[in-house]
Amino acid sequence: MDTSVPPSVIEFLSTRSSTPISAIGLPAPSDDEIETMVSIASRVPDHGRLTPWRFILYRGEAREQVGQYLVDLAEEREGPLTDQRREQELKRFARAPLVIGVIFSPVEHHIPEWEQFLSSGAAAMNLVLAANALGYATNWISNWYSSDEKGRALLGLAPHERVTGFVHIGSCPQKVPERPRPEIKDILSEYSGPWKG
């Protein structure tokens, strides 16, 4: 585990970045660290205290099992796969040593579902930040199987649930090159009245 986390919270947040999954390897977080990460992930705005999210761990042999499920589903959807395509699906969940699924589990309530989904997204971001704060590399993705009903079921989701994201977590010894970020002037403005089109 990399312990060179910047001491300043602002500096840490200002330099956070995603790591390519291909660069994420062992070691993975310990069980105690995973519990800490999920505890932090749950400290998010949650109107009505509905807890409209949960987490699934994909690690060890389960990652290979999921890969075979995805191969079978992809072939059902697309027909016979090329060797390259087959290998791609087999390794979907096996590239990083740990994948945590952040699952949107909406609650029937007067609070709108879209607002509950925002809380689920916040939980995913907190999970990423917690892992990064512990010195681990992360990458948050969704992919095609998140939009497939059978794919979601194979990954352990109930029919009413949706994927907020799969956070791939592990270690990366090298620093990831910085990518271009939006200019503040392009994303920040003063309120100037109703929208005029």
Side-chain angles (χ1 to χ4, degrees):
M1 181 181 70
D2 179 12
T3 57
S4 58
V5 177
S8 163
V9 174
I10 292 299
E11 182 184 356
F12 165 64
L13 293 174
S14 297
T15 57
R16 194 220 69 81
S17 63
S18 298
T19 300
I21 298 176
S22 59
I24 299 176
L26 292 168
S30 67
D31 286 350
D32 285 345
E33 288 174 319
I34 292 172
E35 188 170 323
T36 296
M37 287 157 42
V38 172
S39 176
I40 292 170
S42 69
R43 296 182 66 90
V44 294
D46 175 14
H47 190 189
R49 302 177 184 176
L50 303 178
T51 316
W53 24 258
R54 65 185 183 95
F55 306 88
I56 300 177
L57 300 181
Y58 304 90
R59 54 181 174 174
E61 294 181 0
R63 297 173 303 149
E64 283 75 25
Q65 184 180 29
V66 166
Q68 186 57 60
Y69 287 151
L70 293 179
V71 166
D72 295 343
L73 180 59
E75 288 187 330
E76 181 182 320
R77 288 163 49 106
E78 306 170 21
L81 304 179
T82 64
D83 290 344
Q84 181 179 7
R85 183 82 172 80
R86 180 183 179 83
E87 190 70 9
Q88 181 186 37
E89 296 306 332
L90 280 172
K91 291 183 176 178
R92 286 287 189 194
F93 279 65
R95 294 172 291 174
L98 171 66
V99 180
I100 301 182
V102 183
I103 310 305
F104 174 48
S105 189
V107 177
E108 190 170 335
H109 199 272
H110 71 269
I111 293 172
E113 193 169 293
W114 66 264
E115 189 173 336
Q116 296 182 43
F117 185 66
L118 290 177
S119 179
S120 180
M125 191 65 234
N126 257 24
L127 178 67
V128 167
L129 291 173
N132 295 155
L134 287 170
Y136 292 103
T138 57
N139 195 299
W140 171 6
I141 65 169
S142 54
N143 229 308
W144 65 268
Y145 35 82
S146 298
S147 301
D148 185 279
E149 183 178 356
K150 289 184 179 179
R152 293 193 298 270
L154 291 171
L155 289 162
L157 279 71
H160 73 288
E161 295 179 323
R162 296 295 181 268
V163 174
T164 303
F166 295 105
V167 181
H168 295 242
I169 306 171
S171 300
C172 180
Q174 68 266 30
K175 183 174 175 58
V176 176
E178 181 61 27
R179 68 170 176 83
R181 305 288 175 172
E183 294 289 337
I184 299 303
K185 64 179 177 60
D186 295 331
I187 59 174
L188 178 66
S189 63
E190 297 281 356
Y191 175 70
S192 58
W195 176 254
K196 298 178 181 177

